Amino acid sequence: MSERNIVAGGAGVPQGLERALAAEVSLAARVRNLAVGLAGGGAAALVAVLWATEPQPLPVRTRLAFAGLIAVGLAWAAFASWTLTRKRPLYARDRVLAGRIALAAASATAGAGTVLAVLRGTPVEVLVTAVTGLALVVAAGLALRRARVRHRELLRLRDALRQETP
């Protein structure tokens, strides 16, 4: 059975919903999620190995940075595992979760980077760090907003379809 038939089930599904759901369960979407999981897990493992093989104890700031990087990598790996184990369309819930992870990581990075720049840098370095961090947070926030809008749109289409079928 094709992806279209699995998603549609053969019952007059609106074309927009059918296309969106087929894209969610497509091979390309699965490969993308696998790549995200491998990248996140690989990054977390790399930082953990680097941390574990240090001959001398690291400063507290470095340990906190490493722990943060490991947490972000594991979050992406867990996200990918979650999406890959779902057998049915997620109605863009995966996009919402990815947007939340991105916003959390961008906010933490921007905040920590700006604090370090204030403590150690020149006013120009503080400004550049703060503006760059703000741009990342805004981009992640916009991605999350778009994901929420898409999620609501797909749920509305699904609910409309359920009401139309006897």
Side-chain angles (χ1 to χ4, degrees), residues 2 22 26 32 40 57 97 101 108 123 137 143 161:
S2 74
S26 70
R32 242 186 341 266
L97 181 56
I101 294 170
V137 170
L161 175 64

Side-chain angles (χ1 to χ4, degrees), residues 47-61:
V47 173
V49 167
L50 180 64
W51 189 358
T53 57
E54 281 296 312
Q56 300 295 323
L58 294 171
V60 174
R61 289 185 312 265

Side-chain angles (χ1 to χ4, degrees), residues 23-90:
E24 278 194 16
V25 297
S26 70
L27 178 61
R30 293 233 182 259
V31 169
R32 242 186 341 266
N33 287 329
L34 179 62
V36 166
L38 291 174
L46 180 66
V47 173
V49 167
L50 180 64
W51 189 358
T53 57
E54 281 296 312
Q56 300 295 323
L58 294 171
V60 174
R61 289 185 312 265
T62 306
R63 283 187 258 160
L64 289 173
F66 278 15
L69 290 171
I70 291 169
V72 169
L74 291 176
W76 284 114
F79 163 79
S81 297
W82 177 74
T83 59
L84 291 170
T85 58
R86 303 298 132 210
K87 301 289 187 211
R88 56 194 171 106
L90 296 171

Side-chain angles (χ1 to χ4, degrees), residues 3-4 6-9 11-25 89-92 150-165:
E3 288 174 356
R4 289 177 65 129
I6 290 169
V7 172
V13 175
Q15 192 173 25
L17 180 60
E18 183 179 339
R19 249 193 331 268
L21 296 180
E24 278 194 16
V25 297
L90 296 171
Y91 296 97
R150 182 70 175 151
H151 177 64
R152 282 192 299 269
E153 178 183 294
L154 289 173
L155 290 180
R156 265 190 242 117
L157 282 169
R158 181 197 65 189
D159 293 342
L161 175 64
R162 285 183 179 166
Q163 289 177 356
E164 288 177 9
T165 56

Side-chain angles (χ1 to χ4, degrees), residues 83-161:
T83 59
L84 291 170
T85 58
R86 303 298 132 210
K87 301 289 187 211
R88 56 194 171 106
L90 296 171
Y91 296 97
R93 282 183 291 172
D94 55 331
R95 291 182 184 187
V96 173
L97 181 56
R100 288 177 180 161
I101 294 170
L103 183 59
S107 298
T109 302
T114 302
V115 167
L116 285 174
V118 166
L119 295 175
R120 296 179 157 210
T122 65
V124 171
E125 291 169 337
V126 172
L127 182 63
V128 168
T129 304
V131 168
T132 303
L134 181 62
L136 291 173
V137 170
V138 167
L142 289 173
L144 177 57
R145 184 174 181 278
R146 243 179 102 203
R148 285 181 174 160
V149 167
R150 182 70 175 151
H151 177 64
R152 282 192 299 269
E153 178 183 294
L154 289 173
L155 290 180
R156 265 190 242 117
L157 282 169
R158 181 197 65 189
D159 293 342
L161 175 64

